[in-house]
C-alpha cells in the first residue's frame, strides 16, 4: 500500500491482516475523519458490535509500516498488534473507545515515531490494555511521548498494564 490517505479500513469487521507493507500513508486536509493518514484502521460501532483487528507483520526483518502519519488507528475494536516494525511515523498506535469485554494487546513491536509511540485514551471499562515488550523511540518533536494513557473520568479505569518496554527514548527535536 503506497501513497494513500488510508491503507486498510475495517468498519464493524473482524480482520486479520498478514504480510502487508504500508509506505507513505499520509494525512490529507481534504478528508475529515479521525483516522486520516492511518496505515490500518479498525472501527466498531457502539450501536452494533465492536470490531477485531490482528496485524501480523511483514516478513522479518522487513518494516511493516514506513513513513506514515499513523501506524494503527483502533476505535471500539479489539486489537492484537505484535512483532511489527513501524519506522518514521507520527504516531505508532492510537487506541480509544474500548468498553466492557474489550481488549488491546500491543507487544514486542519496534516503533520509531515523532509524536507518540503508543497513545491510549477513553478505554474506561475495557477488560485490559497491555502495552509490553516494545522498543519505542520518539524523535522530532519536543512534546513527544513514548507511551501515553489517559481517561476522561476519574471513576472508571481503562485497566492498563505497561510493562517491560525497552529503550523508551524521547529525543528533543
Amino acid at each position: 500500500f503506497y501513497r494513500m490517505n488510508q491503507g486498510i479500513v475495517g468498519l464493524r469487521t473482524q480482520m486479520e491482516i498478514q504480510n502487508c507493507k504500508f509506505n507513505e500513508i499520509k494525512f490529507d486536509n481534504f478528508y475529515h475523519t479521525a483516522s486520516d493518514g492511518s496505515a490500518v484502521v479498525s472501527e466498531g460501532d457502539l450501536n452494533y458490535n465492536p470490531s477485531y483487528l490482528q496485524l501480523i507483520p511483514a516478513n522479518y526483518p522487513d518494516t511493516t509500516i514506513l513513513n506514515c502519519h499513523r501506524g494503527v488507528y483502533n476505535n471500539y475494536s479489539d486489537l492484537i498488534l505484535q512483532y511489527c516494525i513501524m519506522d518514521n511515523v507520527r504516531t505508532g498506535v492510537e487506541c480509544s473507545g474500548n468498553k466492557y469485554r474489550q481488549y488491546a494487546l500491543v507487544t514486542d513491536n519496534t516503533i520509531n515515531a515523532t509524536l507518540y509511540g503508543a497513545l491510549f485514551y477513553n478505554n474506561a471499562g475495557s477488560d485490559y490494555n497491555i502495552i509490553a515488550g516494545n522498543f519505542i523511540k520518539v524523535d522530532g518533536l519536543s512534546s513527544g511521548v513514548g507511551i501515553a494513557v489517559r481517561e476522561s473520568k476519574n471513576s472508571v479505569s481503562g485497566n492498563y498494564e505497561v510493562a517491560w518496554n525497552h529503550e523508551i527514548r524521547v529525543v528533543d527535536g
Side-chain angles (χ1 to χ4, degrees):
F1 298 85
Y2 181 64
R3 288 191 177 174
M4 299 176 170
N5 176 256
Q6 296 175 323
I8 296 176
V9 178
L11 177 60
R12 296 186 301 268
T13 59
Q14 307 277 320
M15 291 192 302
E16 183 177 283
I17 300 171
Q18 298 182 17
N19 201 26
C20 292
K21 187 168 183 172
F22 303 87
N23 192 0
E24 295 193 31
I25 309 298
K26 302 292 184 181
F27 181 85
D28 188 330
N29 288 327
F30 179 78
Y31 302 98
H32 300 286
T33 66
S35 60
D36 286 350
S38 301
V40 179
V41 177
S42 182
E43 290 195 76
D45 188 326
L46 289 171
N47 295 318
Y48 298 98
N49 291 317
S51 291
Y52 167 85
L53 168 64
Q54 181 174 9
L55 182 58
I56 298 170
N59 288 331
Y60 182 82
D62 206 357
T63 302
T64 304
I65 298 171
L66 178 66
N67 302 319
C68 295
H69 179 75
R70 183 186 299 108
V72 175
Y73 179 84
N74 192 75
N75 184 32
Y76 192 57
S77 175
D78 292 330
L79 172 65
I80 298 176
L81 177 63
Q82 296 176 299
Y83 307 107
C84 289
I85 298 173
M86 300 181 206
D87 196 20
N88 194 28
V89 294
R90 184 174 184 270
T91 300
V93 58
E94 182 174 334
C95 180
S96 66
N98 284 354
K99 305 300 177 208
Y100 176 69
R101 300 185 59 93
Q102 287 188 272
Y103 62 90
L105 180 64
V106 178
T107 64
D108 304 299
N109 300 288
T110 298
I111 302 172
N112 295 306
T114 58
L115 185 59
Y116 289 103
L119 172 60
F120 280 66
Y121 58 94
N122 295 337
N123 293 302
S126 59
D127 281 2
Y128 60 87
N129 294 287
I130 297 174
I131 308 162
N134 299 289
F135 289 86
I136 298 174
K137 179 182 175 188
V138 178
D139 186 1
L141 297 174
S142 59
S143 60
V145 178
I147 298 172
V149 294
R150 66 175 185 263
E151 293 302 324
S152 58
K153 297 179 182 174
N154 293 335
S155 60
V156 181
S157 171
N159 297 313
Y160 295 102
E161 179 183 328
V162 179
W164 303 105
N165 294 287
H166 308 281
E167 295 187 21
I168 298 178
R169 294 186 295 167
V170 177
V171 181
D172 191 353

